[in-house]
Each structure stands twice: as C-alpha cells, then as structure tokens.
Amino acid sequence: MLLQTRIVKLFLLVSAWSMVLGALLIASHRFGHRAISSQQLLRSFSELTPEITNNRSNARRDRKVVLGDFGREWKPRLPNCLIIGFSKCGTLALRGFLSLHPDIVSTLRELRYFTLFYKKGLEWYRNQMPLSKQGQITIEKTPSYILSPEAIERIYEYNSSIKLIVIVRDPIVRLQSLYSHTFSDDPKSSENPTFKEWCADNPRSLRVLRNVDYAQHIEEVFHFFPKQNVLVLSEESLEENPMGVMREAEEFLGLKPYFSRQDFVFSKEKGFYCFNTSSPHYPEILETVVLNKKTGCLGSGKGRDHPDIDGKFLKELVDVIRPYNVRLFRLIGKKFSWENFKDTPR
C-alpha cells in the first residue's frame, strides 16, 4: 500500500512538472525566441494551466525561468548597448525598430540611470531590464545621457567596451520639432510665440546653439570611447531607408541579418515608415513598442506639424549652423544629406 501511494505521488509530481514545461514551451513558441517579461509568462500560465500559477509571489520573487529542454536561463541583464542621444532625433523609432531583432531586447522607458538615479546602484539598474537569455543584447535608451559629461564618464566606468548609438537630425528640423513639442498641448493658440520669436529673433541665441552643435557632445564621447564603439546615425536615413539603417546597426552590434522589407511600410499620412501590420513579426512588435495598433505607427508625438520659418530667418539659421555640421561630418567621417544643408561640404 505504501509503495502504491509513493507511485501515485511520483506520477502526480511528474504530471505537474510536465504541465509546467509544456506551458513554458508554448509560451516560448508564442513569443518566439525573444525575451519574455515576467508578466507575459504569468499571463500564459494563467491561460494554459491556472492550477499551477496560484502562487505568483514565488514567480515574482525568483524572476528566473528555465525553458524546459532548451536549458536557457532568462533573467534581467545589464545593458551592453545604449542609445544615448539626441532627443527629437528619432531615438524612440530607432529603439522600436531594433527591438524587432530576436537577439535584441530593450527597455520600454528611459531609465536615466547614469544621470538621475546613479545612487540607486547597478542592482537597481539591472532589475529594470527586461528578461533576456545568454547571448542577447540588452539596449537601454536615454537621449539625455549624451548631454552630460558626467553621465558619459559613468558609462565608461560601468563598461568601457559598451556599444553606444547616437542619432542626429537636420539641426533646423530638430529645432522645429522641439518647438512643436513645446507647444503640443495647444499648438494653435494665439499666445504661442512664432518660431522666430521662440528662437529669440536671433540665429545665434542660446536656444539655437545648444540644440544644433552635435559635435561638441560627440567629442566628449570620443574622449572616453574609441570610435569603433560608437555608431552615429541620421533620423532622415531611418525615415527614408529603415532597412539600410537596420543593416548598419546589425553589423555594428555583430548580429546576423534579420530584418525584412516586409517589416516596414511607408505611411503617406505620416510621411515616414511605420511597422507593417501585415508582417508576421507584428505581434512581437506590439510586445516591445508602444504604438497605434491599427496603423503600426508610433504615437501622436511622432510626425507633428512643424512651424513655418521666414525665408530670411531660415537663411540666417543655415549660415550660422553650417560650420557646426562641417565639424560634425569631419568628426564622424561621414556626411548626411540634410534638406536644409545640401551644399554643405564634408
């Protein structure tokens, strides 16, 4: 009788573990070979084996998952790549596109660890990361890092061989984007200053100069990191040819080519590429990017109407900003084709 009881208990134990492994394997299939969040795993267990997931506190406490026969441990890992700048230059779109790659996981929000929360320590930083498996690249995006020499030095002390991605934009278009963002709550208010007034009626105002000189901040990065560790991209290239930018990023990160043209589709309404809702990867994209589920485009903050610029003031801006672009192109060893600066030499 005792032997039979033990056999029954052993059978029940094996059955329970089989259900757990089955749920994990189905969850793995559902989310592909991408990193799965704790919430995603718990949701899958709830749908598939509710009797196994009553004690959720244990799952939250451990935060480690072993995927059955694959034997691969999923856990939060510190980032080995950072998107460090610049704001209003497409960092959100870049992070979203990169998140398509099965060997990349990324944080949804800007953590600002190296600027605002450094005192919380690396364990806090690690625990903010998505789950990943060994060999995947974890990316964190905080555009303000590049504006802080202290943050750049902290990043170097954290990992001197980390990969850094910087994305820039036609400086005048960036100023227009910053203007639109500033008055996004009520863009048509009669109380809003004109673009020229917002620039203090001066192409050399502090507001202009601090947002158009990319080179001074990238030089600070090169003071600590070798150029081969820093990839500088253009927002315009991401809009016009996302596949080309993704290929460049894959090579920089040492990843195998993955992206397909069917992952992206040009939106005439927005004027730039969005995620293709018909792509077989689209369900995975929704797990990593906050966007309009119906259109596949990023939120309303992307693609806002830009203010018109008086012709005379535009020419003054171009004349003032052009030397900064020349310095940038010489620093990074390549030139971007920006609409307002077509005649800028390399």
Side-chain angles (χ1 to χ4, degrees):
M1 186 68 179
L2 181 61
L3 178 61
Q4 290 177 337
T5 301
R6 289 181 177 176
I7 292 174
V8 170
K9 288 183 177 180
L10 179 62
F11 174 77
L12 291 174
L13 180 62
V14 171
S15 298
W17 274 108
S18 297
M19 294 175 70
V20 171
L21 293 174
L24 287 169
L25 288 170
I26 293 172
S28 173
H29 176 74
R30 174 178 297 182
F31 298 110
H33 296 292
R34 309 180 61 76
I36 353 176
S37 68
S38 301
Q39 290 80 9
Q40 289 169 336
L41 283 171
L42 291 172
R43 186 167 63 248
S44 296
F45 294 161
S46 297
E47 294 171 355
L48 299 167
T49 55
E51 66 274 22
I52 298 177
T53 59
N54 291 330
N55 190 0
R56 292 190 173 190
S57 61
N58 290 337
R60 290 194 182 96
R61 184 177 65 244
D62 191 5
R63 296 196 73 191
K64 291 184 179 180
V65 183
V66 178
L67 291 185
D69 296 336
F70 293 107
R72 295 170 177 171
E73 189 181 58
W74 295 78
K75 63 181 180 180
R77 290 177 169 84
L78 288 168
N80 33 24
C81 177
L82 297 175
I83 300 175
I84 61 174
F86 288 84
S87 65
K88 296 302 163 191
C89 290
T91 57
L92 179 61
L94 176 63
R95 187 205 65 79
F97 286 157
L98 286 174
S99 296
L100 277 170
H101 201 291
D103 292 331
I104 293 176
V105 298
S106 66
T107 57
L108 284 177
R109 60 192 179 93
E110 298 170 11
L111 297 180
R112 304 181 184 181
Y113 170 68
F114 293 102
T115 50
L116 297 182
F117 302 109
Y118 193 64
K119 291 183 179 180
K120 288 182 177 288
L122 278 179
E123 279 309 302
W124 176 87
Y125 190 41
R126 186 197 310 273
N127 288 329
Q128 311 310 307
M129 298 299 152
L131 300 179
S132 65
K133 64 184 179 183
Q134 189 68 37
Q136 284 184 311
I137 292 175
T138 299
I139 295 179
E140 192 249 314
K141 172 189 83 77
T142 298
S144 60
Y145 286 160
I146 199 166
L147 302 180
S148 169
E150 183 179 38
I152 299 302
E153 185 172 3
R154 286 171 173 174
I155 293 171
Y156 180 78
E157 291 173 352
Y158 153 69
N159 183 353
S160 61
S161 61
I162 196 169
K163 298 281 189 175
L164 302 175
I165 299 179
V166 178
I167 184 165
V168 296
R169 189 181 196 178
D170 181 321
I172 292 178
V173 178
R174 186 186 182 209
L175 285 171
Q176 291 175 295
S177 182
L178 287 166
Y179 173 92
S180 298
H181 177 74
T182 301
F183 303 106
S184 59
D185 290 340
D186 192 3
K188 297 184 179 181
S189 172
S190 60
E191 297 182 3
N192 295 343
T194 65
F195 178 79
K196 184 178 179 182
E197 290 170 343
W198 181 73
C199 294
D201 294 316
N202 182 0
R204 297 183 184 276
S205 69
L206 178 60
R207 171 165 281 152
V208 172
L209 296 184
R210 72 185 179 191
N211 288 305
V212 302
D213 188 0
Y214 300 122
Q216 67 166 322
H217 301 293
I218 296 177
E219 275 184 337
E220 184 67 28
V221 176
F222 287 161
H223 176 71
F224 289 94
F225 295 91
K227 289 188 176 182
Q228 62 264 30
N229 280 42
V230 183
L231 175 64
V232 182
L233 302 170
S234 170
E235 192 271 351
E236 286 78 5
S237 299
L238 188 62
E239 286 189 3
E240 298 166 6
N241 182 21
M243 269 294 299
V245 173
M246 291 302 102
R247 286 284 183 266
E248 192 173 356
E250 286 172 329
E251 183 177 353
F252 172 70
L253 295 172
L255 298 175
K256 294 181 179 179
Y258 170 79
F259 294 96
S260 166
R261 293 192 182 279
Q262 69 174 335
D263 293 326
F264 313 105
V265 62
F266 186 79
S267 169
K268 292 182 179 179
E269 180 183 354
K270 289 284 189 178
F272 51 77
Y273 277 86
C274 299
F275 295 107
N276 186 357
T277 57
S278 300
S279 167
H281 300 134
Y282 192 64
E284 301 172 21
I285 298 168
L286 293 176
E287 296 291 339
T288 59
V289 187
V290 179
L291 43 70
N292 185 314
K293 294 182 180 180
K294 293 183 178 180
T295 65
C297 295
L298 297 170
S300 58
K302 174 72 174 169
R304 292 191 182 103
D305 290 334
H306 286 173
D308 294 329
I309 306 178
D310 171 78
K312 181 175 181 297
F313 188 60
L314 175 60
K315 183 179 185 308
E316 292 174 354
L317 283 172
V318 170
D319 291 341
V320 168
I321 296 171
R322 182 181 285 110
Y324 291 102
N325 292 349
V326 172
R327 182 179 166 208
L328 169 68
F329 298 154
R330 289 175 179 171
L331 178 66
I332 64 176
K334 61 181 176 181
K335 177 185 175 182
F336 300 121
S337 299
W338 289 333
E339 183 67 24
N340 291 305
F341 301 93
K342 289 183 176 180
D343 59 341
T344 300
R346 180 170 174 170

